[in-house]
Amino acid sequence: MNIDSDLKRIAHQEQELQFDSFDLEAAWQLGSTLRRMAAERKLGVVIDITLFSMQVFYAALEGATPDNPNWVRRKRNTVFRLFKSSYSTGLGLLKQQTNLQAKLGLTDADYAAHGGSFPIVVKGTGCIGAVTVSGLPQREDHNMVVEALAELLGKNHDELKLEG
């Protein structure tokens, strides 16, 4: 893993994986896509889609743990605060050799700079929510969300995915 190349690729993902519009039907399609992927791969994950106004999709699959919902909340809070993916935030902090507490005063109890939460962005509007997966290693959580977004938005996942 090369932090600089990953940060560049994630910035590209965040630019490409934006919606023209996003409503409850789009949330259902995205959540259902993630749930199908997880079920087919027998992954014990929690999937959450939350808009700033309310939670609009939630699923926990066999193998998920009681810790996963808390990880979802903390990663989602990071996206809601910084309007970029939790993995990008974590890699940027790693590169700077710091953490959320030292840099921004954000506690580990409420924020996590670990991969798996990605901003839901509507073109011309901005970040309206986050889609989050928890239960896999952080890079895999991030990659799963990117794969589902690419599928839903008709983008080429091979051109967007992180290498390695």
Side-chain angles (χ1 to χ4, degrees), residues 51-156:
L51 305 180
F52 284 116
S53 60
M54 65 182 168
Q55 185 178 51
V56 295
F57 186 94
Y58 183 89
L61 282 83
E62 189 68 37
T65 71
D67 290 331
N68 295 132
N70 192 42
W71 276 100
V72 164
R73 179 187 62 81
R74 294 169 53 228
K75 291 190 276 188
R76 181 182 62 224
N77 284 349
T78 302
V79 171
F80 283 2
R81 180 67 178 259
L82 301 173
F83 307 122
K84 62 181 183 176
S85 77
S86 57
Y87 196 42
S88 173
T89 298
L91 291 175
L93 292 168
L94 180 63
K95 182 178 175 181
Q96 297 170 30
Q97 298 182 347
T98 189
N99 58 50
L100 287 170
Q101 175 70 46
K103 179 140 179 135
L104 301 170
L106 303 176
T107 66
D108 287 343
D110 291 318
Y111 296 88
H114 296 272
S117 192
F118 199 93
I120 297 171
V121 174
V122 174
K123 295 173 189 171
T125 299
C127 181
I128 64 162
V131 52
T132 310
V133 169
S134 178
L136 307 172
Q138 65 173 335
R139 189 176 180 89
E140 293 175 38
D141 281 345
H142 176 86
N143 283 333
M144 186 174 169
V145 171
V146 167
E147 182 180 352
L149 286 166
E151 180 179 319
L152 191 63
L153 292 167
K155 303 285 183 170
N156 185 335

Side-chain angles (χ1 to χ4, degrees), residues 2-3 6 8 25 44 70 87 115 153 162:
N2 179 298
I3 291 175
D6 275 0
K8 184 177 178 183
E25 180 60 30
N70 192 42
Y87 196 42
L153 292 167
L162 295 176

Side-chain angles (χ1 to χ4, degrees), residues 25-37:
E25 180 60 30
W28 178 257
Q29 289 174 4
L30 177 56
S32 296
T33 298
L34 281 162
R35 192 196 181 290
R36 174 186 47 79
M37 290 167 51

